[in-house]
Amino acid sequence: MAAVIVARRRHRNAQRAQELVFRRRISLFDLSDNDIVWRYRLPGHAIIALLDEIKDDIEPITQRSHAVPGIVKLLSTLQVLASGSFQTPIAGDSGYQLQPWIVTPVRNPVTEGEAAYNRAYIWTRGIIERIFGILKSRFRCLDRSGGALLYSPCKVCKVVVVCCILHNIAIRAGVRLGEQEAEGEGNSDSDEEEPNAPLGEVRPERGRDVRLNIIRNYFE
């Protein structure tokens, strides 16, 4: 009986260990040349050359079994860029006008689906707000306390990306936020929901339809 119990435990532990192993489901070798170009907009040899050029930046540092290989990261990114699947509605706070491309919380939710949508929205926005707070604490150029970025929107986006890269470098180098900076985290102006000017044509009816479809498809 003891031997049977030990064998069953070993079997269960082996199953749990196997569940943690990353299974590569994206591969170039299963596709024809035409399929590769259609899916990734690049031929196979160009993708391999690109991987060789950037592999030091995207290959996992850890040797753990569930680490995502660099080729999977690259192929996933290329597929998203080629398909445009990332162009989904973005979450905006209640200061924004509801639009087909900007979804906002439901005021006074009635159904369980609307309440679940609001909970998911608050959870998601909380993560983004914390990220903004950390970046603004480390790089004051992104916060009003350090002035304003008097550049074009395109250049401002590049500045933000550079700050994200430098932040990751600082984390890898073991540089933590100072106590004074950490105290300022979360107290930035991003927590204030100020009214925002509508972008382009105002289409709240279509925005409500988009939000309603999201609630029906994912929260009801």
Side-chain angles (χ1 to χ4, degrees):
M1 181 63 69
V4 171
I5 293 175
V6 171
R8 287 182 177 177
R9 287 180 178 176
R10 288 179 178 175
H11 180 67
R12 284 199 300 267
N13 292 337
Q15 284 183 328
R16 291 172 183 171
Q18 289 176 0
E19 291 174 357
L20 297 176
V21 176
F22 178 82
R23 294 176 176 84
R24 184 180 301 187
R25 294 181 173 86
I26 303 177
S27 174
L28 287 178
F29 303 106
D30 299 332
L31 302 173
S32 66
D33 292 341
N34 290 336
D35 287 339
I36 292 175
V37 174
W38 178 82
R39 179 175 295 187
Y40 304 113
R41 301 300 190 268
L42 289 174
H45 64 84
I47 295 175
I48 297 301
L50 177 59
L51 175 64
D52 185 63
E53 190 170 335
I54 64 174
K55 63 182 180 181
D56 292 339
D57 296 319
I58 65 174
E59 285 292 351
I61 299 177
T62 177
Q63 298 298 320
R64 297 168 67 181
S65 59
H66 60 277
V68 181
I71 183 62
V72 175
K73 297 177 184 177
L74 176 58
L75 293 180
S76 300
T77 301
L78 291 176
Q79 188 170 10
V80 168
L81 295 175
S83 64
S85 58
F86 62 93
Q87 300 188 52
T88 56
I90 60 176
D93 59 43
S94 56
Y96 283 91
Q97 178 75 43
L98 183 62
Q99 296 282 341
W101 57 89
I102 299 179
V103 292
T104 58
V106 177
R107 295 183 183 273
N108 304 317
V110 177
T111 67
E112 177 57 31
E114 291 176 345
Y117 164 82
N118 276 5
R119 288 193 296 269
Y121 171 91
I122 293 172
W123 181 80
T124 303
R125 184 179 175 225
I127 296 175
I128 300 301
E129 291 297 331
R130 287 195 295 273
I131 293 173
F132 287 164
I134 291 172
L135 287 175
K136 288 182 177 183
S137 296
R138 192 182 290 275
F139 302 104
R140 291 297 180 183
C141 67
L142 303 179
D143 189 75
R144 288 183 180 178
S145 63
L149 293 174
L150 303 179
Y151 306 109
S152 66
C154 182
K155 189 168 185 178
V156 170
C157 290
K158 294 180 179 179
V159 172
V160 174
V161 171
V162 169
C163 288
C164 292
I165 295 173
L166 295 176
H167 174 70
N168 289 340
I169 293 175
I171 291 177
R172 292 182 179 180
V175 180
R176 297 180 176 272
L177 289 174
E179 293 183 1
Q180 183 177 2
E181 294 172 329
E183 290 176 359
E185 181 182 334
N187 297 327
S188 62
D189 53 86
S190 60
D191 295 327
E192 302 174 3
E193 294 190 359
E194 301 178 353
N196 294 276
L199 301 176
E201 180 185 358
V202 179
R203 292 177 287 182
E205 295 80 10
R206 290 188 56 189
R208 278 192 289 269
D209 291 340
V210 170
R211 185 173 65 186
L212 182 59
N213 287 334
I214 293 175
I215 294 173
R216 286 176 175 172
N217 292 333
Y218 299 101
F219 297 99
E220 289 186 349

